[in-house]
Amino acid sequence: MKALILGPNDHRSSEPLDVLGEPGLVKLAGKDTDGAVAVTHLTVPKMSGPPLHRHSREDEWFYVLDGELVWVVDGERHTGGPGASAFLPRGTAHTFQNFRDETAHILVMVTPAGLERFFEDVTALNKGLAQPDFAGTGKLMGDYGLELLGPPLSE
């Protein structure tokens, strides 16, 4: 492994991400850490967030840089603003949503790495589409060991 210094707009993927409407930058990829960990910076616009799901392969950690998110983790609702974090071990049913008018920014770390490749594949699959390809995205989720459990949060 080598040391790595990135500027604010630098990333470790082939292009910036668009994960179902959430712009992102891979800041640390599995190729940088021998597969140990990956870190992605995501921008979470109002009413944005993933569907309820669970990971079978990786543990996931979220850190809120600014804004506010609402998480549902194994059926319990939690709210966190700047400095809040959430650790979700593999097998944990979870989702999050930004219900605020202001955009939130978060860091998402997974261990082991690999989820950043899912983000890249989702970006490529949906690039230029007016509406996301939900069937294709669902198939990709299965390919990456993600289980779709329900829709995104609504207020």
Side-chain angles (χ1 to χ4, degrees):
M1 289 188 287
K2 299 185 325 187
L4 179 64
I5 308 294
L6 298 178
N9 297 314
D10 295 339
H11 54 86
R12 301 295 293 153
S13 53
S14 58
E15 63 181 324
L17 304 173
D18 182 348
V19 184
L20 302 176
E22 294 180 10
L25 297 172
V26 175
K27 301 307 270 185
L28 190 63
K31 64 186 176 188
D32 303 316
T33 66
D34 288 337
V37 65
V39 177
T40 303
H41 175 265
L42 287 178
T43 299
V44 187
K46 180 180 182 176
M47 293 309 295
S48 181
L52 182 66
H53 65 283
R54 84 175 93 219
H55 301 250
S56 65
R57 300 179 185 165
E58 58 273 319
D59 303 322
E60 193 170 27
W61 177 76
F62 298 89
Y63 183 83
V64 180
L65 298 167
D66 58 41
E68 181 180 277
L69 294 182
V70 174
W71 284 275
V72 171
V73 179
D74 285 337
E76 293 187 25
R77 193 174 178 115
H78 307 272
T79 301
S85 68
F87 175 70
L88 309 173
R90 66 195 77 187
T92 303
H94 65 282
T95 185
F96 65 83
Q97 190 80 21
N98 177 7
F99 292 113
R100 299 290 191 136
D101 287 333
E102 65 271 2
T103 298
H105 292 92
I106 62 175
L107 293 177
V108 180
M109 181 183 80
V110 295
T111 180
L115 192 65
E116 75 280 15
R117 292 191 310 275
F118 168 73
F119 290 159
E120 290 178 51
D121 287 349
V122 166
T123 296
L125 175 69
N126 292 292
K127 189 173 188 171
L129 299 180
Q131 294 290 326
D133 177 351
F134 290 113
T137 299
K139 181 186 179 318
L140 277 177
M141 288 179 75
D143 293 346
Y144 281 91
L146 302 168
E147 181 184 3
L148 180 63
L149 300 172
L153 284 178
S154 59
E155 291 206 67

